[in-house]
Structure formats: structure tokens, C-alpha cells
């Protein structure tokens, strides 16, 4: 029995997406939380917690997109055709946010408020459109003869838009946990206060999506609620409830690391549930990852490069976070 290269590449792309959510989620979450913090020095502090690492976080988005293009060109073509508008808006949001990030520290005081608003807007827009893309993929695409047959605005539907809102809350929760871990005093206390409502809202969003998807898609209901699948997948909702309970208790324990780690677990389990719902389709509801894969020779050639570059990315990511570990205070700054 040979190695299933298409499965390996499917797992690499899933890994890249999850790493992007982990790495850039709290980064975007800080921009989403910005309107809650009015003090200029606290806003500077929020920026400085991610200033050394934020641009490297998006490496995983590039890797996932390039991997999808090379390993699953059919899926890439359909997704790009169906979601060209939200993907373009997402990229513009990321670009505008990146420019605002750098210019904010260099702008004159009277102009800084403009870049603050640009940072907030870019973070929210990029996050919301990412959630719309996820929701649209879960909904599936009409495909005939390997060609997308839907419209350019099919993503403007209730479920993708709700997923966009859900991802904004998810990234805000990650950002809140990150700031609890990286800051002290007033800003940390403010983030502690935000943990409970964000956790409850995130739990409600996960519950609504968990009910919505099986009701709208009988195949997903069959996947989750048939035996023995029900027992195999039970750890997913149990871990979500456990992590949400730990998050709500973190405020009372004044734990510094637990909020971020449990928020990561909660978001990871939520996305795992979505992955279970559509497996093994890369383009729901009918096109599997095997049907969308490139020829074996191409997958093997690309895998050699991936096995070389992924350890390098992991190494410099670990090293950058290690070098800039610990708390950040108002007397420190990257810029």
C-alpha cells in the first residue's frame, strides 16, 4: 500500500490553517478589542505585545494558500471563483491593517487617531471575511463538470455572515487571553473583565452553529448523531464546555496563562467540529480531497519542498516567541 500523498497535503493545509488561526487570531483580536481601550498608553502597550511577531504570523496563511493552489488546484479554482469578493476584501483589510500598524507609531499625535481607526477597521474586516469564507465552504458550492456554477454573491447568505460574526468574537477572545498573558495592572484587569462575556458569547455562537449545520445538512446530522460516531465525536463538545468553564473561572483565579491556552483549545475544538462535519470533502458537498488533488508526481515534488520549509518556519516562529517572551510594560516597546 503506497503513501497517500493527497491526504498528507490535505493535513498540511489543515495544519497551516490552524497555525494561522492560532498565530494571527490573537493578533487580529487585539485590533478588534481596540475600541474597548481608550487610554493611549494602553493602546501602545497592546500594539507592543505583538509588534515583534505579527508579520511572521501570516506566513501560515501564505503557506496554506500556496499549498491549496499546488496540491488541490480544482479546489483552489472553485473557491477563488466563488469567493473572489470576500477574499479580495480580506486581503485589502490585512494590507490596510498592516500599513496602519506601522504608520501609527510614526504619525504625528494629531493624526494617530486615523491610524487607530484604520487598525480597528482592517482587523474587523479581515476577520469577518475570513469567517464568511469558512461559512461558505461549510455551506458548499454548486459544481457541474468541475466548474463552479453559482453566483458571485452566493456567500451573502445568513450562515456565512453569521460565521463571520462568530470569528470576530473568537479572535477577540484569543486577543483577550493574549493580553491577559502579556500585560499587567489596569490593562490586564480590563481584559479579565472582558473574558466572561466573550466566553459566554462564543459558547452561544458555537451552540447555534452546532444546531444550524445538522438541521440544514442531513448528511452532517448523520455524521454526528449516528452510532458509533456519536461516541467517537463526543470529546469535541465536552472539551468545548470544559474550556469555556475554565475561561469563566480564570477571572477568579487571576491566572495569567490559562485564559489564552483554554481559549486556543476552545477555538481549536470548534474548528475541529467543522472539519468533522465536511470530511473527506474539500469542496462540499461532493468533491473529496482525493478528487481535487494534483497528480501524484506533483504532490511528491511539492512535499520535498514542504518538508524542508515547514521546519524552518516552525523554528523561526518558536525562536521569535521565545526571544520576546514574558510580560510587556509601558516602559518597553518594539518600535
Amino acid at each position: 500500500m503506497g503513501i497517500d500523498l493527497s491526504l498528507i497535503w490535505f493535513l498540511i493545509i489543515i495544519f497551516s490553517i490552524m497555525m494561522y488561526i492560532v498565530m494571527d487570531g490573537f493578533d487580529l483580536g487585539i485590533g478588534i478589542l481596540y475600541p474597548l481601550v481608550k487610554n493611549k498608553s494602553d493602546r501602545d502597550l497592546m500594539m507592543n505585545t505583538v509588534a515583534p511577531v505579527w508579520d511572521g504570523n501570516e506566513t501560515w496563511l501564505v503557506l496554506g494558500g500556496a499549498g491549496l493552489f499546488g496540491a488541490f488546484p480544482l479546489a483552489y479554482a472553485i473557491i477563488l471563483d466563488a469567493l473572489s469578493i470576500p477574499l479580495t476584501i480580506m486581503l485589502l483589510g490585512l494590507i490596510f491593517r498592516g500599513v496602519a500598524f506601522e504608520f501609527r507609531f510614526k504619525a504625528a499625535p494629531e493624526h494617530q487617531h486615523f491610524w487607530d481607526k484604520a487598525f480597528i477597521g482592517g482587523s474587523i474586516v479581515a476577520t469577518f471575511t475570513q469567517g464568511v469564507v469558512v461559512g461558505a465552504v461549510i455551506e458548499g458550492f454548486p459544481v457541474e463538470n468541475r466548474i463552479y456554477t453559482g453566483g458571485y454573491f452566493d456567500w451573502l447568505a445568513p450562515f456565512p455572515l453569521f460565521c463571520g460574526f462568530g470569528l470576530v468574537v473568537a479572535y477577540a477572545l484569543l486577543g483577550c487571553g493574549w493580553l491577559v498573558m502579556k500585560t499587567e495592572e489596569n490593562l490586564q484587569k480590563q481584559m479579565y473583565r472582558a473574558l466572561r462575556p466573550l466566553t459566554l458569547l462564543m459558547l452561544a455562537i458555537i451552540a447555534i452553529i452546532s444546531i444550524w449545520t445538522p438541521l440544514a445538512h442531513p448528511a452532517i446530522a448523520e455524521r454526528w448523531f449516528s452510532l458509533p460516531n456519536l461516541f467517537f465525536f463526543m470529546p469535541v463538545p465536552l472539551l468545548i464546555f470544559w474550556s469555556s468553564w475554565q475561561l469563566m473561572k480564570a477571572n477568579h483565579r487571576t491566572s495569567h496563562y490559562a485564559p489564552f491556552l483554554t481559549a486556543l483549545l476552545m477555538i481549536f475544538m470548534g474548528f475541529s467540529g467543522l472539519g468533522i462535519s465536511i470530511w473527506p470533502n474539500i469542496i462540499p458537498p461532493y468533491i473529496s480531497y482525493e478528487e481535487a488533488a494534483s497528480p501524484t508526481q506533483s504532490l511528491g515534488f511539492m512535499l520535498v519542498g514542504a518538508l524542508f520549509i515547514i521546519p524552518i518556519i516552525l523554528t523561526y516562529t518558536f525562536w521569535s516567541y521565545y526571544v520576546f517572551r514574558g510580560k510587556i510594560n509601558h516602559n518597553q516597546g518594539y518600535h
Side-chain angles (χ1 to χ4, degrees):
M1 183 176 178
I3 299 174
D4 190 348
L5 293 177
S6 60
L7 176 59
I8 292 174
W9 266 106
F10 187 76
L11 294 176
I12 288 174
I13 291 171
I14 294 298
F15 174 73
S16 300
I17 293 172
M18 293 307 301
M19 287 297 291
Y20 174 76
I21 292 169
V22 169
M23 296 295 177
D24 212 35
F26 67 83
D27 181 352
L28 287 162
I30 287 174
I32 296 167
L33 292 169
Y34 232 54
L36 303 180
V37 179
K38 304 301 182 184
N39 184 276
K40 180 186 178 300
S41 61
D42 283 342
R43 286 188 166 190
D44 291 341
L45 184 61
M46 292 169 72
M47 284 278 203
N48 283 325
T49 64
V50 294
V53 297
W54 75 272
D55 44 357
N57 294 339
E58 293 173 1
T59 304
W60 297 104
L61 183 64
V62 175
L63 179 63
L68 186 67
F69 172 75
F72 303 100
L74 175 61
Y76 183 88
I78 292 171
I79 290 173
L80 202 65
D81 197 10
L83 302 174
S84 57
I85 294 175
L87 287 171
T88 301
I89 295 172
M90 179 197 76
L91 292 174
L92 290 173
L94 290 174
I95 292 169
F96 205 61
R97 173 181 171 275
V99 172
F101 196 106
E102 298 295 338
F103 277 38
R104 181 185 181 277
F105 286 97
K106 300 173 175 62
E110 62 270 19
H111 298 147
Q112 201 169 61
H113 70 92
F114 170 79
W115 296 112
D116 281 347
K117 293 181 176 64
F119 182 65
I120 294 167
S123 299
I124 293 174
V125 166
T127 302
F128 180 78
T129 47
Q130 287 175 17
V132 168
V133 169
V134 171
V137 170
I138 300 298
E139 283 277 84
F141 304 106
V143 177
E144 293 181 10
N145 298 322
R146 300 167 67 89
I147 297 174
Y148 174 68
T149 57
Y152 288 112
F153 294 96
D154 285 3
W155 54 274
L156 274 176
F159 184 75
L161 295 176
F162 184 77
C163 287
F165 169 71
L167 196 62
V168 170
V169 176
Y171 282 3
L173 182 61
L174 286 176
C176 190
W178 173 261
L179 291 173
V180 166
M181 183 172 65
K182 295 292 289 184
T183 63
E184 300 174 303
E185 299 175 347
N186 292 334
L187 181 58
Q188 188 188 53
K189 292 177 182 177
Q190 191 170 353
M191 292 301 109
Y192 271 128
R193 290 193 295 270
L195 268 178
R196 185 179 179 86
L198 282 174
T199 301
L200 291 172
L201 185 56
M202 188 73 255
L203 193 60
I205 289 168
I206 292 175
I208 291 171
I209 292 176
S210 299
I211 296 170
W212 195 332
T213 48
L215 287 178
H217 304 279
I220 293 178
E222 176 69 17
R223 169 73 53 85
W224 277 93
F225 300 116
S226 62
L227 295 176
N229 290 358
L230 181 63
F231 299 110
F232 292 151
F233 301 148
M234 187 60 69
V236 173
L238 291 179
L239 283 172
I240 288 175
F241 282 114
W242 179 84
S243 57
S244 63
W245 175 248
Q246 293 301 311
L247 275 169
M248 288 189 285
K249 290 199 304 181
N251 194 17
H252 301 290
R253 295 198 308 265
T254 61
S255 173
H256 291 231
Y257 295 96
F260 182 63
L261 296 177
T262 49
L264 281 179
L265 177 62
M266 187 178 187
I267 305 306
F268 177 77
M269 286 295 105
F271 273 90
S272 297
L274 294 177
I276 290 169
S277 298
I278 66 173
W279 171 265
N281 296 320
I282 194 169
I283 298 293
Y286 304 118
I287 299 177
S288 69
Y289 69 89
E290 293 176 321
E291 295 172 305
S294 293
T296 302
Q297 294 87 344
S298 299
L299 295 175
F301 179 78
M302 291 173 55
L303 186 60
V304 174
L307 293 177
F308 173 76
I309 196 66
I310 291 176
I312 295 176
I313 298 174
L314 288 171
T315 300
Y316 80 65
T317 299
F318 168 79
W319 182 248
S320 63
Y321 279 86
Y322 176 77
V323 169
F324 295 100
R325 68 192 183 279
K327 297 284 186 180
I328 302 293
N329 58 47
H330 291 288
N331 298 321
Q332 297 171 314
Y334 174 68
H335 282 75

